[in-house]
């Protein structure tokens, strides 16, 4: 079942209702992202935990939407990329895959781990460590991952086209590899 997001207005404000998940082998929709003006710290009472505290996430998403984007990206106090409001982030540059280390503060997402494993099996070098703004800005491709939306190419960052417009071929290759790895080669529906 493809991921669906329904926005419902409530008396207290916007509410997001999610239903279904993105099939692991399918590429999610292309998105636009912005770098958020606030920092996200790697330390704190909720750092590294998935909780029901979504105040910062909702503010970040609202900021992104006001700027015409679908996702907001957080940097930490060291100037290093952490994660998106609803996603983990990957940068493709010169045939190598980069993703922020969990030491920087992102949640260690399930799909993030699947991408790392699939890339390693495919012989794609993966750098799990610091990503500063220049590497993000000079990326050949950027994509984000989440259990609900799958692998989504980022076509624009802060209103400017990203490298080669989102890296559809790279994202599709990794999505297929994840599908084969986690659903089994015997699945007749796999491409």
């Amino acid at each position: 079942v493809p991921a669906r997001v329904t926005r419902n207005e409530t008396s207290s404000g916007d509410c997001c209702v999610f239903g279904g998940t993105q099939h692991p082998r399918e590429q999610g929709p292309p998105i636009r992202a912005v770098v958020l003006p606030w920092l996200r710290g790697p330390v704190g009472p909720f750092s590294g935990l998935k909780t029901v505290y979504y105040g910062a996430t909702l503010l970040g998403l609202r900021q992104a939407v006001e700027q015409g984007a679908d996702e907001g990206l957080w940097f930490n106090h060291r100037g290093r990329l952490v994660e998106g409001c609803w996603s983990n982030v990957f940068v493709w540059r010169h045939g190598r895959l980069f993703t922020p280390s969990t030491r920087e503060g992102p949640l260690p997402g399930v799909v993030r781990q699947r991408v790392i494993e699939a890339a390693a099996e495919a012989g794609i070098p993966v750098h799990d460590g610091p990503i500063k703004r220049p590497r993000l800005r000079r990326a050949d491709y950027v994509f984000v991952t989440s259990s609900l939306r799958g692998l989504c190419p980022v076509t624009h960052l802060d209103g400017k086209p990203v490298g080669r417009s989102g890296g559809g071929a790279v994202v599709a290759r990794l999505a297929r590899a994840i599908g084969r790895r986690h659903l089994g080669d015997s699945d007749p529906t796999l491409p």
Side-chain angles (χ1 to χ4, degrees), residues 167-178:
V170 172
V171 173
R173 179 179 166 199
L174 287 169
R176 283 192 306 273
I178 290 169

Side-chain angles (χ1 to χ4, degrees), residues 150-188:
L151 283 70
C152 301
V154 177
T155 60
H156 290 77
L157 180 63
D158 291 332
K160 297 177 183 169
V162 173
R164 299 181 198 162
S165 295
V170 172
V171 173
R173 179 179 166 199
L174 287 169
R176 283 192 306 273
I178 290 169
R180 281 191 299 276
R181 186 174 195 283
H182 293 280
L183 297 176
D185 289 325
S186 62
D187 186 337

